[in-house]
Amino acid sequence: MLIVRQNQLLQIQYKNEQFRTEMKEFLQNFFPEQISTFSMHELDEKITQLFNRSTNYGLFKKQDYLRFFSLCMIFGDNWEHQPEQTWMHERMQQNHAGDVSQRLYELYQQCLYRLEESI
Amino acid sequence: MKSITAKPANPVVTRLVHADAQAQQSSNEDITSEDCAKEIKQGMIRFMAWHISELGGSETKPDKRNETEIEAIAEIIHQMKINICLLGGVAISAPDKLVVTTLDDGSVFYRYEPTDKESGWQEANNILNVLKQKNPGAHWKISVLRDDDGHLVGANNQCSCFLYQSAQGIRLKSISLIKAESSPELKLSHYHYYAKFSVPNTESDYSFDVPIASPLVEHMDSNDYLQAQITADVELDENCIFAISCPSEININKAAFNRYRSKLKITYEALPPQGSVLVEPIWQHIHANTSGLVDNPLLLNATDVMLQDRLANWGAMPALMHPDFYASVSGGIFDSILLRQSAQSHIQLANTRIVDLVRACCSEENSANQAAYGVVDDVSDIEFVETGVLVSIVAKAEVNQSNVIKSERDNDIAMQYSRSMRFARSISIHWPVITDICLMQQIDE
């Protein structure tokens, strides 16, 4: 039987809080306009929602979460359902193109190139 | 130098670039686990890519440069504290020599004879010798790619060679020719020089691989020859540095440049505000790119001034524009150092910039007086360590030139800038690009 001690639970809770604070700071620093209308509670919910979406793609590193959150802030929360952005979803699904971190990194770079040419 | 065609940066791109920089700084760990790995910076080497145009001779340059120019090139490499330097534009053979034969009956025959000597390679070795004198402890070495017959491998009568300091344990593991993506619009061919360096870690026995790729300029005549030289078992690494030097301006064809970067999975980076080549006047550009234009109207009829005037089509020409201030001098981006990077890369580039050869030829007092001369620096956060490093060499070069007329305006700042620009052009049309290569190693705690 697996026993989880109270100390371990506290440690996980502490890590979770720390992670949320870092994510909030990140969004406030780089995407203040996108989150300006959110209350603290709404922002908390948003982070949970983005976190769940990113784990659906198999992301599990802090670096990847930050990249994923940035893309969601620019292209919208549900970019996989938007016709113009389906290529991003498809790119993330291409299992043969390296591991998920690598795919996200390349998608990020691709977005930068496309955005630069779009002005 | 300012870039004439630089578009305003897209604020969304800028924001995403900054956000990604923050993401890269954050640890690469699984957030569900305790700190199990830590990335630490292990070392830094400085890399320079310099397309020294026409080193070894061309129709307009002698196959042997004078001593001051060779010394100036070596001085720049020495003063910028370069560890590895890619010298491009090295002529494979000197231009054909004109041979005049007078026969017994007095008739004179002219013919061009091809030259076999590796003039560019000899000049590169002259640079190496000066570097060895300047810093004997660095143990400078030079390497170039040769085919099985011992001939230099290159296209369009140009090749590239690598200079590196071996004293710090830097070793050239291999140099080969590989096939990767091309960009016909930028005239960059499929064929790339590919050198793999080994750089030791100062704190352990581990050594890093630093691969450097440099595309050759597209040249159809050489394709079959180059195809035969490809090293079959060598492929482009996931993490690799690209040194490119285009015959055309990169920022004029930004879409093509972005396609090229995207195909090679090169990390996005905004183009720098500095140019690496002084932009030529519009009519020189049109003439160079349009066939059928009369180069010199005097050839039509040297004595018919009216005819020359009619055919010169003066009406279409804009008034000549001479910049009054150094800040108004326009530069185009022809050269760049890029990084192909995977999500977990041990290589990062920092402080990538152009070395300003005009500043290098100017004394520090003049640089301090730039404000008076109207220089508004658009890259003011850069510390130009090259300022003034060539002043003594420029003075030496002028002493050797008998046709330099001394005037009372010699101390005028405008005059000194003009002389600096002339000397900088005599060294090379392309200016060098430098970058700091940061090598990281992920270690388990």
Side-chain angles (χ1 to χ4, degrees):
Chain A
M1 191 174 73
L2 180 72
I3 299 170
V4 182
R5 286 194 295 273
Q6 186 68 19
N7 277 350
Q8 287 171 313
L9 279 174
L10 285 172
Q11 183 66 22
I12 292 167
Q13 198 179 352
Y14 169 72
K15 277 274 172 190
N16 183 27
E17 287 300 317
Q18 201 182 16
F19 171 75
R20 282 176 176 281
T21 315
E22 278 180 35
M23 293 297 126
K24 271 182 213 165
E25 279 174 7
F26 177 78
L27 294 179
Q28 279 160 351
N29 282 344
F30 294 103
F31 306 100
E33 294 95 348
Q34 282 87 342
I35 59 163
S36 59
T37 55
F38 291 2
S39 65
M40 283 313 272
H41 176 67
E42 284 170 334
L43 187 57
D44 237 12
E45 278 189 354
K46 184 85 178 168
I47 287 170
T48 312
Q49 185 197 342
L50 290 175
F51 181 74
N52 290 338
R53 283 196 55 220
S54 52
T55 46
N56 287 344
Y57 279 113
L59 301 173
F60 61 93
K61 289 176 183 167
K62 199 186 284 177
Q63 205 175 58
D64 295 340
Y65 290 130
L66 294 180
R67 285 193 176 124
F68 187 82
F69 283 23
S70 302
L71 290 181
C72 289
M73 287 294 123
I74 297 297
F75 294 102
D77 284 357
N78 54 344
W79 40 258
E80 62 262 55
H81 301 302
Q82 295 171 16
E84 306 86 36
Q85 263 84 47
T86 45
W87 68 275
M88 292 169 67
H89 178 62
E90 283 161 14
R91 188 64 63 91
M92 285 301 289
Q93 299 290 338
Q94 290 170 353
N95 293 336
H96 61 274
D99 70 359
V100 67
S101 291
Q102 181 64 28
R103 271 179 274 153
L104 178 69
Y105 176 75
E106 285 175 18
L107 173 68
Y108 200 95
Q109 297 295 319
Q110 198 69 38
C111 291
L112 287 171
Y113 286 126
R114 290 192 182 208
L115 281 169
E116 190 182 61
E117 281 171 34
S118 67
I119 62 166
Chain B
M1 284 194 298
K2 288 193 295 185
S3 157
I4 45 163
T5 51
K7 285 181 184 174
N10 182 340
V12 178
V13 175
T14 313
R15 188 169 296 183
L16 278 174
V17 168
H18 290 160
D20 194 46
Q22 169 86 27
Q24 284 203 347
Q25 276 174 17
S26 75
S27 59
N28 197 16
E29 74 210 33
D30 175 354
I31 63 149
T32 55
S33 67
E34 278 296 304
D35 291 348
C36 56
K38 192 176 158 191
E39 229 173 42
I40 54 167
K41 194 179 279 189
Q42 290 293 326
M44 194 182 278
I45 55 168
R46 188 168 281 182
F47 171 61
M48 173 188 275
W50 194 354
H51 181 103
I52 302 184
S53 37
E54 301 163 341
L55 185 71
S58 69
E59 284 77 13
T60 54
K61 280 265 182 199
D63 51 350
K64 188 159 173 55
R65 301 276 189 108
N66 62 42
E67 281 177 15
T68 45
E69 287 175 23
I70 294 290
E71 194 185 345
I73 294 167
E75 184 70 11
I76 288 284
I77 297 171
H78 173 64
Q79 292 288 346
M80 299 310 292
K81 298 185 172 55
I82 302 300
N83 301 104
I84 301 174
C85 177
L86 167 67
L87 286 185
V90 177
I92 292 178
S93 62
D96 295 350
K97 277 227 160 116
L98 179 69
V99 178
V100 183
T101 319
T102 311
L103 299 181
D104 294 342
D105 61 355
S107 52
V108 181
F109 288 93
Y110 299 93
R111 69 175 193 283
Y112 280 102
E113 272 190 359
T115 48
D116 286 334
K117 70 170 186 176
E118 296 172 346
S119 54
W121 176 241
Q122 285 174 10
E123 290 290 81
N125 275 288
N126 291 340
I127 296 170
L128 173 75
N129 292 335
V130 180
L131 278 170
K132 280 180 176 171
Q133 285 167 16
K134 285 185 185 296
N135 188 1
H139 295 157
W140 280 96
K141 285 189 175 175
I142 192 166
S143 209
V144 73
L145 181 63
R146 289 180 183 275
D147 63 13
D148 294 339
D149 300 327
H151 298 132
L152 297 171
V153 175
N156 203 14
N157 195 33
Q158 285 184 359
C159 67
S160 297
C161 58
F162 288 89
L163 282 161
Y164 59 99
Q165 288 188 12
S166 62
Q168 294 175 355
I170 299 172
R171 201 162 53 85
L172 179 63
K173 287 168 82 176
S174 65
I175 178 166
S176 48
L177 195 73
I178 58 162
K179 208 169 178 183
E181 300 294 339
S182 68
S183 175
E185 297 95 336
L186 299 173
K187 297 191 174 66
L188 297 177
S189 84
H190 287 288
Y191 303 99
H192 291 63
Y193 291 112
Y194 195 55
K196 270 192 180 179
F197 285 90
S198 162
V199 179
N201 180 351
T202 48
E203 291 166 20
S204 70
D205 296 338
Y206 186 81
S207 61
F208 299 98
D209 274 352
V210 181
I212 300 171
S214 176
L216 276 73
V217 170
E218 205 168 55
H219 193 65
M220 299 310 288
D221 296 345
S222 317
N223 275 0
D224 290 341
Y225 168 69
L226 289 171
Q227 181 68 38
Q229 304 306 323
I230 285 188
T231 315
D233 57 338
V234 180
E235 282 185 4
L236 212 56
D237 281 46
E238 271 195 349
N239 302 302
C240 139
I241 293 160
F242 270 80
I244 66 167
S245 179
C246 301
S248 57
E249 212 175 323
I250 290 172
N251 43 347
I252 279 183
N253 205 344
K254 215 168 178 181
F257 184 53
N258 277 352
R259 270 198 300 280
Y260 177 71
R261 291 198 288 185
S262 176
K263 278 192 285 186
L264 282 166
K265 296 178 182 170
I266 286 170
T267 311
Y268 173 84
E269 193 147 341
L271 287 173
Q274 305 158 286
S276 61
V277 173
L278 293 168
V279 168
E280 57 192 8
I282 182 75
W283 277 100
Q284 272 184 33
H285 179 75
I286 290 173
H287 177 257
N289 291 287
T290 316
S291 56
L293 284 184
V294 179
D295 188 9
N296 184 354
L298 284 173
L299 294 175
L300 295 168
N301 185 340
T303 55
D304 192 344
V305 185
M306 300 298 282
L307 176 70
Q308 291 160 25
D309 189 51
R310 276 201 307 278
L311 294 176
N313 196 14
W314 300 111
M317 289 190 183
L320 280 176
M321 295 274 287
H322 294 296
D324 293 329
F325 305 113
Y326 184 47
S328 317
V329 175
S330 300
I333 302 169
F334 286 66
D335 307 78
S336 188
I337 297 177
L338 311 164
L339 179 64
R340 171 187 159 99
Q341 200 182 25
S342 65
Q344 281 89 42
S345 169
H346 68 280
I347 300 175
Q348 299 280 341
L349 298 186
N351 309 323
T352 307
R353 71 174 180 94
I354 308 291
V355 178
D356 191 329
L357 290 186
V358 173
R359 277 177 203 271
C361 298
C362 287
S363 61
E364 285 189 37
E365 303 92 72
N366 279 354
S367 299
N369 288 334
Q370 281 167 8
Y373 185 54
V375 173
V376 183
D377 211 339
D378 52 353
V379 280
S380 52
D381 55 331
I382 297 173
E383 190 196 345
F384 291 98
V385 288
E386 65 267 34
T387 305
V389 297
L390 296 183
V391 170
S392 59
I393 297 173
V394 176
K396 208 195 296 181
E398 286 180 356
V399 168
N400 295 342
Q401 286 175 340
S402 55
N403 59 349
V404 174
I405 301 162
K406 293 282 172 197
S407 82
E408 54 192 36
R409 281 195 67 203
D410 268 2
N411 293 328
D412 190 306
I413 296 175
M415 194 68 117
Q416 290 187 19
Y417 268 114
S418 167
R419 286 213 301 265
S420 302
M421 211 166 279
R422 191 178 62 181
F423 187 76
R425 272 184 189 276
S426 75
I427 302 172
S428 172
I429 297 168
H430 290 251
W431 290 5
V433 195
I434 57 167
T435 192
D436 290 332
I437 303 173
C438 310
L439 300 163
M440 331 266 267
Q441 186 189 9
Q442 191 162 313
I443 57 160
D444 294 330
E445 281 191 334

